[in-house]
Amino acid sequence: GTIGQTGGQFADFDSAMAEEMIAAPAFWCPDPVQTNCLRVKGTSMSPLINDGDIVAVDGSQTNPEELNRKIVVAWHRENGLSLARFIAADGVHLLESENRDYSPVTVEKDRKWQILGKVLWWIRKGP
């Protein structure tokens, strides 16, 4: 899911059911064992990443200090997975949408959030 959409409810990639496999060049996946692909649901990251696109997420990259301005997948206890840009500014952590119709979400004070990984790349089916 993206901000404003309910996403998958799993808190780690190991508990998600694999539906399909995709091959990618090795240099696209610095940690292949920790890389998982997810289908995007929602429009908060449009036009950069669209509803139905597939994102590759490196679950080994979860350190907030190294993720400023990077696109991440985060998990919320009540809302499930969310795709957003992680912003760290003045001690505050935000999840920001690409689509300005969606307001940023503060994660610093809400301990229900957990970063599951950094988005490495994404693909979409052509028209």
Side-chain angles (χ1 to χ4, degrees), residues 64 67-70 72 84-88 93-95 107 115:
L67 294 173
N68 190 36
R69 312 258 352 127
K70 305 297 183 194
V72 301
R85 190 174 307 277
F86 181 79
I87 307 293
H93 294 171
L94 303 171
L95 293 176
V107 296
I115 296 173

Side-chain angles (χ1 to χ4, degrees), residues 2-5 43-46 79 82-87 92-107 113:
T2 55
I3 301 296
Q5 290 281 326
T43 60
S44 73
M45 290 303 288
S46 294
N79 300 326
S82 290
L83 176 70
R85 190 174 307 277
F86 181 79
I87 307 293
V92 176
H93 294 171
L94 303 171
L95 293 176
E96 182 178 74
S97 298
E98 194 73 16
N99 183 336
R100 297 299 171 219
D101 291 340
Y102 296 84
S103 298
V105 174
T106 304
V107 296
W113 285 100

Side-chain angles (χ1 to χ4, degrees), residues 14-123:
D14 291 336
S15 63
M17 178 70 71
E19 293 179 13
E20 299 179 70
M21 298 287 287
I22 186 170
F27 67 91
W28 285 16
C29 305
D31 190 344
V33 173
Q34 293 292 320
T35 301
N36 293 279
C37 292
L38 306 171
R39 187 168 306 276
V40 175
K41 175 182 166 186
T43 60
S44 73
M45 290 303 288
S46 294
L48 183 65
I49 302 173
N50 296 320
D51 184 66
D53 288 356
I54 296 172
V55 294
V57 182
D58 184 343
S60 71
Q61 297 188 50
T62 60
N63 183 347
E65 294 176 13
E66 298 173 1
L67 294 173
N68 190 36
R69 312 258 352 127
K70 305 297 183 194
I71 299 172
V72 301
V73 171
W75 176 79
H76 186 274
R77 194 174 312 155
E78 297 164 9
N79 300 326
L81 299 178
S82 290
L83 176 70
R85 190 174 307 277
F86 181 79
I87 307 293
D90 299 325
V92 176
H93 294 171
L94 303 171
L95 293 176
E96 182 178 74
S97 298
E98 194 73 16
N99 183 336
R100 297 299 171 219
D101 291 340
Y102 296 84
S103 298
V105 174
T106 304
V107 296
E108 181 65 16
K109 296 175 184 172
D110 186 349
R111 299 294 179 197
K112 296 178 184 176
W113 285 100
Q114 176 184 348
I115 296 173
L116 295 186
K118 175 186 165 187
V119 172
L120 301 172
W121 46 269
W122 54 91
I123 57 174

